[in-house]
Amino acid sequence: MKLIYQTAASVVMTAIIIVSVASVKAVSPIDLNTTTSVLDQTKNLIPRRDISDDLAKEFQEILDKNRQEAGEPGKGGVPGAVLAVISKDKGTWFGASGVADIQTGMPITPDAQFRIGSSTKTFTATVVLQLKDEGKLSLEDKIDKWLPGEMVDKITNGRNITVRQLLNHTSGIYDYADSGNEAFYTAVNQNQSREWKPEELVAYAYGKPSFSGKRCEEGAEKIQWCYSNTNYVLLGIIIEKATGSTLKSEIENRIIRPLRLNNTFFEFQTDEVFGGIVSCYWDINPKDGIDEDTTSLNMSLAWATGNMVSNAGDLAKFTKALFRSNLLKDDTLKEMLTPYEPLLSATQGEISYGLGVWYDKLSWGEAWRISGNGAGTTSVSWYFPERRLTFVSLANQDNGADYTLKVREAILKALLE
């Protein structure tokens, strides 16, 4: 396959174009300035004042430089990236760099729609906590109150696990998406259009020892914490049991519609997403250094833990609404934002996990993070409460963590120093 790669330091367009593998669709015309920052003409982006021209130019240069230095697109590099910076003091900026699709070379735009991977978990957790606020469930409920007995009995220590432990990853339940679970990834590769049932995902955890798998760090059992996607699949099942409705309907009716997140979707298939999504690249099979196009992958394989689609504007809006108590009662939000201890060492500080959100202790201050990989994308939203600052980074490559951290540091240095 011949790869077409286009560098876009800035894109001047009169229409926003969203790219999917199956189609390219133009939506209503808007204007972009010379740094690809979106002007306030779109309903999907939060109201704001633009940052200074000098700072906008510096941000664009930082975005372009870091994306280009991340490597060759299609071989581990980042083909396209979007950033959003919303600062109470400095204003707001949306920018884009690179391409939405390697083969066509179509430039990416600031309102491009991405899979957001495990950022979906925060939506799922928010619904669970809203049900807690409504008295429909308790975080101390044992999961056997909500889940079938035959399912719970096949999960190690299942009868003693609580809803809270699912939310904060202290259940010890094996992660069905663990990199060592070859049976799961073989099944995915054999039929990438397969629609998975939640129960089929949970079944990979049956009989597995607590705090086992490659994902669990050494000493995970000692600190009683290990990240597991299975936890959030179970939470999705609990939501449906507690409400008598589908998880999709609950997320749409409780979060997406009230916040008017017009570019956010709970869909499995790319062709079911209005406007499509950017192409997704992931070195899934084999691990040969070449990124496969995984855009058409059926994301039912992630369901409550990672199947949603959104864009930078909607994620910024959701992030601010959540952390400013617009979706949860104050006491419940405080519970959500109580990090599990001990804090874990990370590349640029210390990290921990609350109830569906990450806690980062950085040199720039404390931040709450909503993040994930979306089988070909990387999605991260930070909220710095003391600075009233929201930062969103999206990239259409699955292993974009290093790029994301570097571009965040450079942007924050330019903004805050």
Side-chain angles (χ1 to χ4, degrees):
M1 176 187 297
K2 182 179 180 181
L3 300 182
I4 302 174
Y5 172 56
Q6 175 177 342
T7 299
S10 62
V11 185
V12 181
M13 305 175 68
T14 57
I16 287 294
I17 300 191
I18 306 295
V19 178
S20 72
V21 166
S23 64
V24 177
K25 183 171 183 176
V27 297
S28 57
I30 67 171
D31 293 324
L32 299 182
N33 67 21
T34 56
T35 62
T36 73
S37 298
V38 181
L39 297 180
D40 229 350
Q41 300 179 35
T42 47
K43 294 180 180 179
N44 60 302
L45 299 181
I46 56 178
R48 64 192 185 280
R49 61 181 176 84
D50 288 333
I51 63 172
S52 68
D53 290 343
D54 288 345
L55 197 53
K57 180 180 178 182
E58 186 175 2
F59 281 0
Q60 188 66 47
E61 290 172 350
I62 290 170
L63 172 56
D64 291 331
K65 178 177 182 290
N66 281 272
R67 184 194 59 77
Q68 292 162 11
E69 291 180 352
E72 182 180 350
K75 296 183 178 180
V78 176
V82 171
L83 290 183
V85 181
I86 300 93
S87 167
K88 179 178 180 293
D89 297 327
K90 299 292 182 68
T92 297
W93 178 81
F94 284 77
S97 177
V99 297
D101 181 83
I102 293 175
Q103 189 171 13
T104 66
M106 178 65 69
I108 202 164
T109 55
D111 69 344
Q113 296 174 168
F114 290 73
R115 287 184 191 146
I116 61 171
S118 287
S119 295
T120 302
K121 288 183 175 69
T122 310
F123 287 81
T124 299
T126 300
V127 173
V128 171
L129 293 173
Q130 288 178 336
L131 293 174
K132 178 256 188 188
D133 280 344
E134 295 162 10
K136 294 180 179 178
L137 57 73
S138 167
L139 301 190
E140 313 316 322
D141 285 345
K142 298 292 177 58
I143 61 174
D144 61 4
K145 177 177 179 178
W146 300 104
L147 301 174
E150 59 269 23
M151 174 184 286
V152 175
D153 287 336
K154 293 176 183 177
I155 296 172
T156 302
N157 197 37
R159 295 281 178 180
N160 296 316
I161 294 169
T162 66
V163 172
R164 183 185 299 275
Q165 289 176 302
L166 298 181
L167 284 165
N168 68 7
H169 295 298
T170 59
S171 71
I173 298 174
Y174 177 80
D175 182 4
Y176 76 90
D178 187 89
S179 60
N181 188 4
E182 294 183 5
F184 172 66
Y185 287 102
T186 297
V188 170
N189 283 323
Q190 286 177 344
N191 184 4
Q192 294 193 11
S193 63
R194 172 180 173 176
E195 184 156 322
W196 292 78
K197 296 179 180 179
E199 294 77 11
E200 293 175 322
L201 303 175
V202 175
Y204 284 104
Y206 291 164
K208 296 292 177 66
S210 295
F211 299 102
S212 64
K214 289 186 177 182
R215 183 182 288 277
C216 291
E217 298 289 338
E218 185 177 350
E221 189 167 6
K222 182 178 179 180
I223 66 171
Q224 295 289 292
W225 189 90
C226 185
Y227 189 93
S228 173
N229 288 283
T230 312
N231 288 326
Y232 277 73
V233 174
L234 293 172
L235 286 169
I237 298 173
I238 289 172
I239 288 170
E240 294 194 336
K241 178 69 173 179
T243 63
S245 181
T246 65
L247 176 61
K248 172 184 168 74
S249 294
E250 291 300 311
I251 288 177
E252 288 177 343
N253 293 331
R254 292 171 175 271
I255 303 174
I256 293 176
R257 291 195 180 103
L259 295 182
R260 297 183 180 180
L261 305 182
N262 299 325
N263 295 85
T264 300
F265 307 92
F266 190 96
E267 301 290 358
F268 298 153
Q269 298 277 29
T270 300
D271 57 10
E272 294 173 350
V273 176
F274 178 78
I277 64 173
V278 300
S279 295
C280 310
Y281 299 97
W282 185 19
D283 183 13
I284 185 174
N285 181 41
K287 297 290 184 179
D288 57 0
I290 303 298
D291 292 334
E292 284 76 41
D293 186 331
T294 55
T295 316
S296 61
L297 190 65
N298 188 312
M299 291 303 291
S300 61
L301 61 84
W303 195 51
T305 194
N307 83 293
M308 290 181 67
V309 167
S310 191
N311 72 356
D314 276 9
L315 286 174
K317 188 186 291 186
F318 171 62
T319 299
K320 292 178 69 176
L322 177 62
F323 296 135
R324 294 187 183 182
S325 297
N326 292 335
L327 292 170
L328 300 171
K329 292 181 179 179
D330 289 344
D331 288 347
T332 300
L333 180 63
K334 185 177 180 180
E335 280 193 85
M336 185 186 214
L337 302 186
T338 300
Y340 183 74
E341 294 184 352
L343 301 183
L344 305 175
S345 296
T347 304
Q348 297 175 350
E350 294 179 302
I351 65 172
S352 186
Y353 203 81
L355 305 180
V357 294
W358 289 93
Y359 168 77
D360 290 345
K361 189 175 182 180
L362 307 170
S363 60
W364 305 106
E366 296 182 331
W368 290 100
R369 169 166 50 94
I370 301 169
S371 63
N373 296 91
T377 60
T378 303
S379 163
V380 188
S381 306
W382 278 280
Y383 181 70
F384 294 81
E386 293 182 0
R387 298 181 182 274
R388 298 294 290 270
L389 170 64
T390 303
F391 181 94
V392 180
S393 174
L394 297 167
N396 60 345
Q397 207 275 344
D398 192 80
N399 193 28
D402 288 343
Y403 152 79
T404 301
L405 292 179
K406 289 178 180 178
V407 77
R408 182 200 70 190
E409 289 301 293
I411 291 286
L412 292 182
K413 182 177 181 179
L415 182 70
L416 302 175
E417 285 192 348

